[in-house]
Amino acid sequence: MEPGTIVLIVILVALIAAGIALYFFGKKAQKKKEEQDAQMAAVAQTVSMLIIDKKKMKLKESGLPQQVIDQTPKYMRGTKLPIVKAKVGPKVMTLIADEAVFADIPVKKEVKATVSGLYITGVKGLRGPLDKPEEKKSFRARIQEKYKKLSAEVESEKKQRENKKK
């Protein structure tokens, strides 16, 4: 056999082994996540709160209790988390929001939130439905929108010129 063929076979075997390992690690992580979600759902409470502020900030800068920061893994301390400051009853609390819920949380409005410890897992409007903020459009979508608008203007100008000629 040629050396190039042997190298390709070894690389292929290594990729297959890595794929199998990732499959089993992914399955294990998914089961662990499902267990955690079940525990959080069991402890969840519905609380009405006034949202003061929301930001994505690092854990150290968030204003969470030191005990919470100490319990988080070292690699997570540098990442930015969705942090929400809210008035719950007479207390102002700092909470962590779920990524999926963070965009829906309105600022300076009262909401009913499903809270599990310091973690916000769901939000509903206290007085009617929540206003959905417009999602940011991608660069490509904005360019396509501008192109369609310009092409429509050019077409209307062409029609106007044709009508003037007649």
Side-chain angles (χ1 to χ4, degrees):
M1 284 186 135
E2 292 183 29
T5 309
I6 294 171
V7 169
L8 288 175
I9 291 172
V10 169
I11 291 172
L12 183 66
V13 169
L15 287 174
I16 291 172
I20 291 170
L22 285 175
Y23 173 76
F24 286 112
F25 284 131
K27 251 185 156 177
K28 186 177 177 183
Q30 186 175 7
K31 284 181 185 177
K32 192 174 181 181
K33 171 116 174 65
E34 288 173 359
E35 289 173 8
Q36 288 174 348
D37 288 344
Q39 288 176 347
M40 287 181 67
V43 181
Q45 298 175 332
T46 303
V47 179
S48 63
M49 60 176 65
L50 174 69
I51 306 297
I52 298 170
D53 188 24
K54 70 175 191 173
K55 289 182 186 176
K56 286 200 174 202
M57 49 187 5
K58 292 186 178 180
L59 197 61
K60 293 177 182 176
E61 303 165 358
S62 66
L64 288 167
Q66 188 62 37
Q67 186 178 14
V68 173
I69 295 172
D70 292 340
Q71 288 178 350
T72 56
K74 296 237 187 251
Y75 63 89
M76 284 292 294
R77 292 182 191 170
T79 59
K80 290 189 175 185
L81 294 173
I83 303 293
V84 176
K85 290 197 188 254
K87 186 174 182 185
V88 182
K91 281 176 139 181
V92 175
M93 296 180 69
T94 304
L95 304 164
I96 302 170
D98 190 13
E99 285 285 343
V101 175
F102 185 69
D104 297 339
I105 297 174
V107 179
K108 299 200 168 114
K109 289 194 178 179
E110 212 167 335
V111 295
K112 268 198 175 182
T114 307
V115 179
S116 179
L118 290 176
Y119 199 70
I120 299 174
T121 57
V123 177
K124 294 178 187 168
L126 193 63
R127 294 172 182 83
L130 291 175
D131 297 331
K132 296 278 182 183
E134 276 189 38
E135 292 184 16
K136 291 185 180 179
K137 294 181 182 177
S138 67
F139 178 73
R140 182 178 177 166
R142 290 192 309 252
I143 296 296
Q144 283 179 337
E145 192 174 293
K146 285 182 184 178
Y147 176 75
K148 287 179 183 178
K149 193 175 186 180
L150 286 174
S151 62
E153 287 177 9
V154 169
E155 288 295 321
S156 65
E157 286 179 12
K158 282 183 181 178
K159 287 181 181 178
Q160 287 175 359
R161 287 182 197 150
E162 288 177 6
N163 289 339
K164 285 183 180 178
K165 287 181 181 178
K166 291 181 182 178

